[in-house]
């Protein structure tokens, strides 16, 4: 439910004239006491110990060249930072004064500012506001009740207390597989991976159809819908299997033909009762960290996207447009521990994400959190060894598998990266999602205890759940299994475990397949490929006979069920 207090005003008060007709009385009419000002104070985000708020003040008196709004808190609230106003606090009293660039406030004009604060106990809305010492009229009640199914402000964790949308198209494919009915009722992400997907491809469901189906599933409770927004110019500059339809310079087309239509649909009041979670552009920003410049893993395509700035611009634009919708929760893709967990990548990634989150009109308030391991296989929690272990005088970090990484699994990485992101400038209330759709690594190959302590390599390799040949392998991995089932708030700082990548949908084709989807052939999807610098020149570990990315791969689906952990 939204929490706001709006000063009730009549910009045009109607009174009965001598002739019996209604006369408009404008502010300043000497015969009528015009309402001097109104203040709209909204708590946008509240995570129990802190909050962000947006304030809009409307001036109905004489034009001003400077202004100051004041209020007092009834509780322990403390303003810690703000924007578009100079905020000071003495005890419970707060003053918000204009900046040099927004002091002009015309009659009938409005100005907005925002801030972040902390509190303990309750976070009650202030009841009285003044503009330059004049009290603004505020209604004495609680305002018009808000339909609890139609939130106008974001909740701390959209998954808490909510069902999550089950995509009927994926569910039907899963149920048609032998044994698939065991998981066909699980929620998965809906991938908007090209412009045509907005209206539906080859007779399939488009975005509106999915949202309508989500409303039908919702009932009287809360419902989360998970979308993957994935069509940047020059998309995935380091992996041909997931190349997209837009060329490196087509940023305007991305904005006007992809993001804008999505935003228009999501902003439809018909869908205001849904909690819409967006995964923003997987793999894009991490590529600018690891696959550019003088690194051995660099590609010309990634150098191009770093130079033209269109990844940063595109992500910023998407965050801005989608973040403006009250019931949309943006989560930026943050790679996985086997990509960004090294010292050279960790802090620079957080800084780059902040750059994107403040580009093209976006702010950190447009970011609700981050998601790791999207469509990847990194184990959630390695229980048989830790990053602090040593064997035969060598640290686990020196093993060939860990290779000096700071993290050995996704949970430790996601929790640590969340802290790094906050230090880079993101809100302290951001949450993390972890994609667990294919990182269970169960079955007969799952180790039951630590490896032999002969060497650090035998110790790590004998005990690790993740059975990939190399942590850089990503395409249709042999031996993988379903991971933890989707669930809300499973660990500190984690909003949810999710199945953002629908199990059974291919990562890429094992050999070149002509198509009109903009998807190339990536050798990492060929089981005979002997590797490159990004996977330590190791075998790809990919399954054979795979179809194009996103297409149904029955053999993979069966393997994922067979090797599920927890078991089905």
């Amino acid at each position: 439910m939204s929490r706001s207090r709006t000063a009730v005003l009549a910009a045009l008060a109607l009174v009965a004239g001598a002739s019996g007709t209604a006369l408009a009385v404008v502010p300043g009419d000497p015969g009528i006491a015009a309402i001097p000002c109104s203040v709209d104070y909204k708590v946008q985000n509240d995570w129990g110990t802190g909050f962000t708020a947006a304030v809009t003040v409307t001036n109905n008196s004489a034009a001003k060249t400077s202004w100051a709004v004041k209020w007092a808190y009834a509780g322990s609230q403390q303003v810690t930072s703000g924007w578009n106003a100079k905020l000071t606090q003495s005890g419970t009293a707060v003053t918000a004064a204009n900046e040099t660039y927004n002091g002009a406030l015309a009659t009938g004009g409005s100005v907005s500012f925002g801030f972040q604060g902390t509190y303990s106990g309750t976070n009650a809305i202030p009841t009285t506001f003044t503009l330059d010492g004049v009290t603004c009229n505020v209604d004495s009640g609680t305002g018009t009740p808000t339909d609890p199914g139609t939130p106008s402000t974001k909740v701390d964790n959209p998954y808490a207390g909510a069902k999550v949308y089950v995509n009927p198209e994926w569910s039907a494919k899963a149920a048609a597989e032998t044994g698939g009915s065991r998981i066909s009722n699980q929620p998965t992400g809906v991938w908007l991976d090209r412009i045509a997907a907005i209206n539906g491809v080859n007779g399939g469901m488009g975005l509106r159809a999915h949202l309508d189906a989500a409303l039908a599933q919702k009932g009287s409770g809360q419902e989360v819908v998970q979308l993957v927004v994935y069509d940047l110019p020059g998309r995935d500059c380091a992996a041909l299997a997931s190349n997209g339809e837009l060329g490196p310079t087509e940023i305007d087309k991305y904005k006007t033909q992809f993001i804008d239509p999505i935003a228009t649909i999501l902003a439809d009041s018909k869908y205001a009762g849904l909690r819409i979670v967006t995964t923003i552009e997987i793999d894009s920003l991490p590529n600018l960290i690891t696959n550019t410049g003088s690194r051995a893993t660099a590609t010309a395509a990634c150098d191009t996207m770093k130079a033209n700035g269109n990844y940063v611009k595109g992500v910023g634009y998407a965050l801005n447009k989608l973040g403006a919708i009250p019931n949309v929760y943006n989560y930026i893709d943050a790679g996985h521990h086997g990509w960004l967990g090294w010292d050279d990548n960790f802090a620079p990634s957080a800084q780059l994400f902040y750059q994107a989150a403040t580009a093209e009109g976006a702010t950190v308030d447009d970011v609700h959190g981050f998601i790791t391991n999207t469509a990847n296989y990194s184990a959630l929690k390695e229980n048989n060894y830790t990053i602090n272990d040593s064997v035969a005088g060598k640290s686990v970090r020196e093993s060939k598998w860990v290779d000096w990484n700071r993290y050995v699994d996704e949970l430790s990485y996601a929790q640590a990266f969340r802290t790094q992101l906050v230090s880079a400038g993101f809100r302290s209330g951001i949450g993390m999602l972890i994609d667990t759709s294919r990182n269970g690594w169960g079955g007969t190959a799952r180790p039951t205890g630590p490896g032999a302590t002969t060497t650090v390599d035998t110790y790590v390799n004998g005990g690790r759940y993740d059975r990939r040949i190399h942590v850089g392998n990503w395409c249709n991995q042999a031996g993988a299994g379903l991971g933890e089932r989707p669930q809300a708030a499973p660990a500190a700082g984690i909003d949810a475990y999710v199945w953002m990548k629908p199990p059974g949908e291919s990562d890429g084709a094992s050999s070149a397949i002509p198509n009109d989807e903009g998807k190339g052939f990536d050798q990492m999807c060929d089981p005979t490929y002997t590797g490159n610098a990004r996977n330590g020149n190791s075998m790809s570990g990919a399954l054979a006979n795979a179809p194009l990315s996103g297409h149904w791969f029955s053999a993979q689906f069966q393997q994922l069920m067979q090797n599920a952990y927890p078991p089905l």
Side-chain angles (χ1 to χ4, degrees):
M1 181 176 292
S2 69
R3 292 192 294 136
S4 66
R5 184 166 293 278
T6 304
V8 178
L9 68 117
L12 295 176
L14 296 180
V15 299
S19 63
T21 59
L23 300 176
V25 180
V26 297
D29 187 307
I32 298 295
I35 294 173
C37 52
S38 67
V39 172
D40 181 37
Y41 177 111
K42 285 189 172 70
V43 174
Q44 295 182 307
N45 297 282
D46 190 320
W47 50 95
T49 57
F51 67 103
T52 59
V55 181
T56 299
V57 57
T58 301
N59 173 39
N60 295 317
S61 300
K64 300 174 181 292
T65 57
S66 63
W67 51 265
V69 177
K70 296 184 178 182
W71 67 88
Y73 285 116
S76 63
Q77 296 97 325
Q78 290 289 317
V79 174
T80 56
S81 62
W83 47 94
N84 293 337
K86 298 173 182 176
L87 287 112
T88 57
Q89 184 169 355
S90 177
T92 61
V94 179
T95 299
N98 64 276
E99 296 280 9
T100 56
Y101 56 81
N102 64 356
L105 187 54
T107 302
S110 298
V111 65
S112 298
F113 58 91
F115 62 92
Q116 181 166 313
T118 61
Y119 74 94
S120 60
T122 60
N123 186 20
I125 303 297
T127 58
T128 302
F129 299 86
T130 64
L131 174 61
D132 295 339
V134 177
T135 300
C136 299
N137 287 35
V138 179
D139 64 325
S140 59
T142 58
T144 303
T146 302
D147 179 352
T150 310
S152 59
T153 57
K154 294 179 172 63
V155 297
D156 176 51
N157 182 355
Y159 290 86
K163 296 186 296 184
V164 187
Y165 173 59
V166 177
N167 179 349
E169 292 185 311
W170 175 83
S171 181
K173 292 175 182 176
E177 293 279 348
T178 302
S181 60
R182 292 174 293 175
I183 63 166
S184 59
N185 64 340
Q186 292 290 347
T188 55
V190 173
W191 286 54
L192 302 174
D193 61 353
R194 46 189 152 149
I195 293 168
I198 298 172
N199 292 321
V201 178
N202 298 325
M205 296 172 68
L207 178 55
R208 281 194 180 275
H210 281 296
L211 296 175
D212 289 340
L215 287 176
Q217 291 182 17
K218 179 179 181 294
S220 59
Q222 298 290 352
E223 175 103 343
V224 170
V225 179
Q226 302 175 127
L227 306 177
V228 177
V229 178
Y230 186 46
D231 199 28
L232 273 178
R235 191 181 75 191
D236 208 341
C237 54
L240 298 175
S242 46
N243 282 170
E245 63 187 346
L246 301 180
T249 63
E250 292 188 282
I251 185 67
D252 290 337
K253 189 173 182 180
Y254 173 79
K255 293 177 178 180
T256 60
Q257 297 187 34
F258 186 63
I259 295 299
D260 287 354
I262 292 173
T264 296
I265 293 172
L266 298 187
D268 189 330
S269 59
K270 178 181 183 181
Y271 306 121
L274 297 171
R275 296 177 181 176
I276 301 171
V277 166
T278 60
T279 292
I280 301 295
E281 295 296 350
I282 64 172
D283 297 346
S284 59
L285 298 177
N287 272 319
L288 299 185
I289 295 294
T290 61
N291 298 323
T292 57
S294 60
R295 297 197 184 205
T297 55
T299 70
C302 289
D303 283 333
T304 295
M305 298 317 300
K306 184 173 184 177
N308 68 25
N310 283 343
Y311 277 6
V312 169
K313 294 174 187 175
V315 169
Y317 189 84
L319 292 171
N320 181 21
K321 289 295 184 179
L322 302 179
I325 303 168
N327 58 315
V328 170
Y329 298 79
N330 289 323
Y331 290 79
I332 301 175
D333 182 80
H336 55 89
H337 87 276
W339 191 347
L340 301 182
W342 282 270
D343 294 343
D344 290 347
N345 304 338
F346 197 71
S349 295
Q351 294 163 4
L352 177 64
F353 294 162
Y354 182 84
Q355 179 187 350
T358 53
E360 298 290 309
T363 74
V364 292
D365 285 333
D366 293 315
V367 181
H368 204 76
F370 291 78
I371 180 170
T372 78
N373 208 45
T374 312
N376 208 266
Y377 298 84
S378 295
L380 178 65
K381 184 72 175 73
E382 292 283 8
N383 294 321
N384 293 328
Y385 67 100
T386 76
I387 201 67
N388 299 315
D389 293 349
S390 294
V391 174
K394 288 191 174 184
S395 164
V396 157
R397 294 188 68 206
E398 297 181 67
S399 67
K400 184 177 180 181
W401 172 257
V402 178
D403 192 24
W404 296 102
N405 201 315
R406 290 280 179 189
Y407 305 95
V408 299
D409 52 38
E410 280 307 290
L411 182 57
S412 62
Y413 165 74
Q415 290 172 324
F417 197 53
R418 179 186 176 281
T419 300
Q420 184 68 42
L421 290 160
V422 171
S423 71
F426 287 96
R427 293 185 303 102
S428 60
I430 58 171
M432 307 296 288
L433 305 177
I434 301 177
D435 188 345
T436 59
S437 59
R438 304 183 301 176
N439 70 346
W441 296 103
T444 57
R446 184 179 179 87
T448 57
T453 56
T454 311
T455 67
V456 71
D457 284 322
T458 58
Y459 176 69
V460 171
N461 289 333
R464 61 182 169 93
Y465 298 139
D466 188 337
R467 305 313 297 170
R468 285 177 293 177
I469 298 169
H470 188 276
V471 74
N473 288 353
W474 54 267
C475 193
N476 300 323
Q477 290 299 285
L482 301 168
E484 289 284 348
R485 315 305 179 250
Q487 55 187 286
I494 310 298
D495 281 351
Y497 296 152
V498 298
W499 284 7
M500 201 61 69
K501 172 72 172 183
E505 291 190 1
S506 174
D507 294 320
S510 300
S511 57
I513 299 177
N515 66 91
D516 60 359
E517 301 175 27
K519 297 169 182 175
F521 167 59
D522 196 299
Q523 287 182 297
M524 288 296 291
C525 301
D526 177 359
T528 67
Y529 182 52
T530 56
N532 54 44
R534 284 188 292 282
N535 81 330
N537 295 300
S538 304
M539 296 296 290
S540 70
L543 293 171
N545 303 314
L548 289 171
S549 61
H551 290 227
W552 191 255
F553 190 6
S554 177
Q556 183 201 53
F557 185 79
Q558 289 294 332
Q559 174 194 264
L560 291 173
M561 290 194 297
Q562 179 181 349
N563 294 333
Y565 194 90
L568 295 179

